[in-house]
Amino acid sequence: MPPDRLTALRRQRALVAEHLAWLDAEILAQAPFQTLPPAPVPAPVNDVPAGPASAPSSAIVDSPSLIEPAPEALAAANARADEIIATYAATERLDPAAARKGCLQLALAVGLLGIAGILAVYLIYY
């Protein structure tokens, strides 16, 4: 393998490791009730040995596993999700404007399909 290609591949591996560390930090920021082990710090490109004997670091290859959330937090999140779903379901069922809009869209779609069918028959048979 040419040395330029090997250098480029090592650089790409370092960039991917940095991106994975950033993703771990973002996941930790968005899910405070889950804890991740500290993300591995990728080695700079200059510190990587140039010989072919260098093996990939196991700290970078292994992905951290997520810890299950507490049952109380999970139950609270599920209860909140059920409240939100119930709220949207109640507002959608009782909204006459949404029903009128849906009926008009359905009538328009059926009308356009009918016109397209008549046009297709006219073009094929006449």
Side-chain angles (χ1 to χ4, degrees):
M1 184 177 300
D4 293 338
R5 179 155 168 77
L6 184 61
T7 305
L9 290 173
R10 287 187 175 143
R11 182 176 162 271
Q12 288 298 318
R13 184 178 65 192
L15 288 173
V16 168
E18 288 176 17
H19 185 68
L20 288 174
W22 175 80
L23 283 173
D24 288 340
E26 289 296 313
I27 289 171
L28 185 61
Q30 293 298 320
F33 57 89
Q34 295 177 345
T35 58
L36 293 174
V41 177
V45 176
N46 296 339
D47 291 347
V48 177
S54 65
S57 173
S58 64
I60 295 174
V61 174
D62 294 338
S63 64
S65 61
L66 295 177
I67 297 174
E68 290 292 323
E72 300 85 24
L74 190 58
N78 286 338
R80 179 68 180 136
D82 290 339
E83 289 175 16
I84 293 171
I85 290 171
T87 301
Y88 282 117
T91 57
E92 285 295 318
R93 284 191 202 123
L94 301 177
D95 189 13
R100 185 178 313 117
K101 182 179 175 183
C103 287
L104 288 175
Q105 288 175 344
L106 181 63
L108 181 66
V110 169
L112 288 176
L113 282 174
I115 291 172
I118 291 171
L119 184 64
V121 168
Y122 178 78
L123 290 175
I124 292 172
Y125 293 110
Y126 291 108

